[in-house]
């Protein structure tokens, strides 16, 4: 089934695809297509279906003999541009866009696994992903084992003959633990399994899991790909043959990306590299400042020398990323007092926005996790997570001055 269905591959697009452009250039230039009007920005194709010149052409499109668009649940030119741009950035052959990050994970499993297959996932993954694996997919016969992100022996011990996928996020949220992607890829491949990496926190601007041996990349485009907190979307990336069933699930079941959202993400990807650099610079400076404050017991940030996996993080990532977490002295009461004292930083659990956000994981994102499980995971009642935005870092420090 044809997937690369943008109307035509223009001369300049071909040039960019054929040359090894730097990532910044790919972010701005890769994937763009233009209509006969000659617009410089990309068009939003808000149409549910596409017309044909003749009955014969319709038959050829449906039969797959002629590439081209049929219906926007299958392909849409704006969505195709987004897919091609993100694939160029992640260095993968193929990308399918989805309606959200969660539907990307669902489509990945629906496409690559069957009832009775086994998945090993890190315990430190996005809370809703834990629910999807542990509550929903389990009812459909998927076997799931949760293990430590950072202990490769636990992954080896959890292997079964029917293990199909390894699923990780690195760095993890909210504690910013880092795993060795290349090492996990080796363990997975030796056992005949695939390594899936949710690369949402780093984005391809900071981390390229494919280069480290991962097989499939997941994105919540809602986060840094948008970068300004506007739209929900997601993507699954990897080799074309491997992901054909993932695309097949999406075009049949329907959680595909809207053309409007794809356009927002296309614009987001143009500025991804400069934004991620600025997020990381702000986050590192804020993390260093937090380490000096009397009200702070411990700071978690992969860019800090004090991070237990600092060396691995700096080998694997271009910089530390935007998320900084820390334990305040005085537990939940002190944590809530800090949140309530902010006048600028947004109190919300979202991340990936130009606006800095602050959250108390124990009472929000992780409130449904049992007290014991939270303690085992290291999420204390005094833990605060900040997704550092693009405001001036001095103004962020001023908003957190109660910690001094
Ligand atoms: C937000 C998030 C998701 C889910 O994405 P949605 O777009 O909200 O569905 C998955 N993984 C990670 C790491 C996330 O932060």
């Amino acid at each position: 089934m044809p997937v690369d269905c943008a109307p035509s591959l223009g001369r300049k697009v071909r040039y960019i695809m054929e040359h090894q452009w730097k990532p910044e250039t790919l972010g701005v230039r890769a994937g763009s297509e233009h209509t006969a009007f000659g617009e410089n920005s990309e068009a939003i194709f808000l149409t549910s279906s596409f017309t044909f010149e003749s009955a014969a052409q319709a038959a050829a499109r449906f039969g797959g003999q002629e590439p081209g668009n049929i219906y926007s649940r299958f392909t849409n030119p704006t969505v195709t541009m987004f897919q091609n741009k993100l694939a160029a950035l992640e260095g993968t052959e193929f990308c399918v866009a989805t309606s959200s990050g969660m539907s990307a994970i669902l489509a990945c499993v629906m496409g690559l696994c069957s009832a009775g297959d086994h998945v090993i996932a890190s315990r430190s993954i996005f809370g809703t992903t834990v629910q999807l694996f542990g509550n929903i997919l389990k009812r459909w016969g998927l076997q799931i084992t949760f293990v430590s992100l950072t202990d490769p022996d636990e992954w080896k011990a959890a292997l079964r003959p029917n293990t199909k996928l390894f699923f990780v996020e690195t760095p993890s949220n909210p504690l910013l633990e880092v795993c060795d992607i290349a090492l996990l890829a080796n363990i997975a491949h030796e056992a005949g399994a695939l390594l899936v990496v949710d690369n949402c926190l780093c984005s391809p601007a900071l981390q390229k899991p494919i280069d480290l041996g991962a097989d499939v990349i997941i994105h919540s485009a809602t986060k840094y790909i948008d970068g300004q907190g506007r739209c929900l979307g997601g993507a699954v990336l990897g080799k074309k043959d491997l992901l054909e069933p993932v695309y097949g699930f999406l075009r049949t079941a329907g959680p595909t990306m809207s053309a409007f959202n794809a356009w927002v993400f296309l614009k987001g990807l143009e500025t991804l590299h400069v934004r991620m650099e600025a997020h990381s610079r702000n986050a590192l400076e804020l993390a260093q400042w937090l380490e000096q404050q009397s009200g702070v017991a411990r700071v978690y940030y992969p860019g800090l020398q004090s991070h237990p996996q600092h060396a691995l993080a700096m080998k694997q990532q271009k910089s530390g990323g935007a998320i900084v977490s820390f334990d305040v002295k005085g537990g939940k009461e002190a944590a809530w007092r800090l949140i309530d004292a902010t006048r600028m930083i947004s109190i919300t659990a979202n991340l990936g926005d130009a606006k800095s956000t602050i959250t108390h994981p124990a009472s929000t994102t992780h409130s449904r996790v049992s007290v014991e499980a939270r303690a085992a995971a290291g999420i204390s009642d005094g833990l605060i997570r900040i997704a550092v935005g693009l405001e001036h870092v001095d103004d962020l420090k001023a908003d957190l001055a109660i910690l001094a």
Side-chain angles (χ1 to χ4, degrees), residues 89-103:
L89 286 171
E90 285 286 10
T92 59
E93 188 183 9
F94 190 70
C95 171
V96 266
T98 60
S99 58
S100 68
M102 290 319 302
S103 57

Side-chain angles (χ1 to χ4, degrees), residues 188-249:
H189 295 162
E190 270 171 27
L194 300 167
L195 175 63
V196 182
V197 177
D198 180 334
N199 201 27
C200 167
L201 254 59
C202 275
S203 90
L206 302 186
Q207 178 168 273
K208 298 273 292 291
I210 289 290
D211 293 349
L212 300 164
D215 302 285
V216 179
I217 312 291
I218 298 285
H219 271 292
S220 166
T222 316
K223 312 294 168 52
Y224 292 100
I225 291 176
D226 175 339
Q228 295 180 59
R230 296 163 293 195
C231 288
L232 269 86
V236 188
L237 299 103
K239 285 213 166 72
K240 189 165 192 285
D241 287 353
L242 179 66
L243 296 189
E244 207 63 64
V246 175
Y247 171 65
F249 169 79

Side-chain angles (χ1 to χ4, degrees), residues 14-77:
R14 254 196 322 271
Y15 178 76
I16 288 164
M17 295 304 192
E18 286 163 7
H19 290 73
Q20 292 295 309
W21 288 44
K22 299 272 194 289
E24 292 80 357
T25 312
L26 291 173
V28 178
R29 294 287 182 176
S32 294
E33 298 275 350
H34 305 282
T35 72
F37 290 116
E39 70 282 356
N40 192 32
S41 181
E42 293 75 14
I44 313 176
F45 289 92
L46 287 178
T47 179
S48 39
S49 75
F50 298 83
T51 57
F52 313 108
E53 295 295 327
S54 63
Q57 190 184 41
R61 288 268 178 93
F62 273 85
Q65 295 90 3
E66 180 187 301
N69 299 293
I70 297 172
Y71 188 59
S72 282
R73 174 154 41 75
F74 305 166
T75 60
N76 173 283

